[in-house]
Amino acid sequence: MFDRFIIFLKKLAIISSHPIQYNAPLFALLAKEPIIELMVFYTWGEAALGPKYDPDFGKEIEWDIPLLAGYKYTFLKNTSNEPGSHHFKGIINPSLNQEIEAWGPDIVWVWGWAFNSHLKAMRYFKGKVPVWFRGDSTLLDEPKGFSLKKSLRRIFLKWVYKHIDKAFYVGTHNKNYYLVHGLRSNQLVEAPHAIDNDRFAIDNELLQQERNQFKAKIGINESDMVLLYAGKLEPRKNPLFLEDLTKNLKSAHIKLLVAGNGPLKADMVSKLKNDNRVLFSDFINQKWMPNLYKIADFLILPSKSETWGLALNEALASGTPIIVSNKCGGAIDIINSSNGFLLNIDNPDFKALESWIERFDKEEFKKKIDYFFEKFCYDNIVQQVICNI
């Protein structure tokens, strides 16, 4: 029996830039599978660990949840003159392909191609072992009509994706992106974006006490209906939309809680300081985020551009319905009549939104939330991996 087990054991090498709070729990689950031997190759290098200055938040950020527990990993030496995941030449690992080959993978799974080493690995291993890919790009930001730049980019991306055998797509817009760039339907595997649902769903008396203390400190009353914006205050996230929102939502019982930092914060505080319905909070780290979502009656995500919007997953897992821009890639897959409101961010219908808020059925929301937990979960991704190895 042991010999038969060895035959079916698959060595899965994952290439990822750096530890991410959304990926670590999935890697740990994959490592538990008896037919998978997992090794994660982190290409940014050990410099990716510890606190890092985030220019959008305007401060040093260090996530307060474990990112390296439960799976095997190694950090590659990054020789880039400007290390980071914000540009193509920010990740250069001369030894990456050799170290992976020495480990002897049956499958190489690349997470994101837009780094020097990642693209080289895709080209190197194509035809030697199956090359899988994970990314969440969409066509939502692509300009309409013909342009030479768009045509050249299309040609280039078709060449990039010729170097993969399968792509694990996160949702409808991501799937369409792959099809446009030359992948066939039989190369695409549905594996919807997910988070650690259990961590966000958990609740107890202590957490409730912490929420009550936070609400009392910041000025939220029991009778208030709380709309939450949580994230970076930067142009792509479109937080200045909240000024129009407050002007058009007349109810005195609505409180808008803005949690986060960024380059637009001073401007927002200046514009909204005279509206006592608007409350500001500093950056909230990961460990307390589930409690923040539970304070809110609704999460609002008004982004102008968002490949997915994992805050949607976090809010729903916390039991909080969502108001989301049509420019968020995940909206088309997550939003339904019982859990959220789809906002045309270029031409918002504030009357329709206010009416929806007033008649929102919380009991119906609770009854139908199981669909979200069944589809948008790590277990679903793990099962898709097992079915394809």
Side-chain angles (χ1 to χ4, degrees), residues 231-249:
K232 293 181 178 181
L233 303 177
E234 49 95 9
R236 184 175 63 86
K237 297 286 188 178
N238 196 27
L240 292 178
F241 169 81
L242 301 175
E243 182 184 5
D244 286 338
L245 181 70
T246 55
K247 288 178 180 177
N248 285 277
L249 297 183

Side-chain angles (χ1 to χ4, degrees), residues 102-324:
W103 187 68
D106 297 294
I107 300 164
V108 172
W109 195 2
V110 182
W111 289 52
W113 66 264
F115 309 114
N116 177 285
S117 289
H118 291 212
L119 184 55
K120 283 184 176 179
M122 289 163 60
R123 296 177 63 191
Y124 182 83
F125 286 103
K126 174 64 176 175
K128 297 181 179 181
V129 297
V131 176
W132 292 358
F133 185 78
R134 179 75 163 174
D136 60 4
S137 296
T138 74
L139 302 173
L140 286 173
D141 290 338
E142 189 175 74
K144 305 296 182 185
F146 173 82
S147 75
L148 180 60
K149 182 179 179 180
K150 186 168 80 171
S151 297
L152 291 175
R153 181 169 175 79
R154 185 85 80 228
I155 292 168
F156 172 71
L157 288 173
K158 285 183 177 180
W159 173 80
V160 168
Y161 292 119
K162 280 184 178 179
H163 297 98
I164 67 173
D165 297 292
K166 289 184 179 181
F168 287 70
Y169 66 91
V170 304
T172 302
H173 287 303
N174 187 218
K175 180 181 181 181
N176 292 339
Y177 166 89
Y178 288 130
L179 290 171
V180 163
H181 292 112
L183 293 179
R184 302 180 302 276
S185 295
N186 62 2
Q187 292 179 278
L188 301 179
V189 180
E190 183 180 20
H193 253 321
I195 59 154
D196 188 349
N197 290 331
D198 291 341
R199 185 170 74 83
F200 282 85
I202 193 170
D203 202 4
N204 55 49
E205 187 174 338
L206 178 60
L207 293 175
Q208 291 171 10
Q209 290 175 359
E210 290 179 2
R211 290 201 296 274
N212 290 336
Q213 292 169 1
F214 180 91
K215 289 161 71 174
K217 180 180 178 180
I218 205 167
I220 296 174
N221 301 315
E222 287 303 315
S223 59
D224 289 333
M225 179 177 290
V226 179
L227 272 61
L228 170 68
Y229 173 93
K232 293 181 178 181
L233 303 177
E234 49 95 9
R236 184 175 63 86
K237 297 286 188 178
N238 196 27
L240 292 178
F241 169 81
L242 301 175
E243 182 184 5
D244 286 338
L245 181 70
T246 55
K247 288 178 180 177
N248 285 277
L249 297 183
K250 305 301 182 183
S251 173
H253 293 293
I254 287 180
K255 288 285 178 71
L256 174 63
L257 174 56
V258 181
N261 293 84
L264 296 179
K265 185 163 187 176
D267 193 17
M268 292 185 66
V269 171
S270 175
K271 290 180 176 179
L272 297 169
K273 64 183 178 182
N274 293 324
D275 191 336
N276 59 12
R277 299 175 303 166
V278 182
L279 308 170
F280 286 91
S281 169
D282 203 354
F283 166 80
I284 303 291
N285 215 321
Q286 281 293 303
K287 190 176 290 186
W288 212 78
M289 279 302 295
N291 238 13
L292 183 67
Y293 287 118
K294 290 181 176 68
I295 286 171
D297 293 282
F298 302 95
L299 171 77
I300 180 161
L301 187 62
S303 302
K304 291 180 180 178
S305 173
E306 196 91 47
T307 55
W308 182 266
L310 281 162
L312 305 179
N313 298 63
E314 293 177 341
L316 290 176
S318 304
T320 304
I322 51 183
I323 300 166
V324 56

Side-chain angles (χ1 to χ4, degrees), residues 345-356:
I345 207 64
D346 295 322
N347 186 25
D349 187 339
F350 291 107
K351 287 186 178 180
L353 172 59
E354 190 159 32
S355 174
W356 178 83

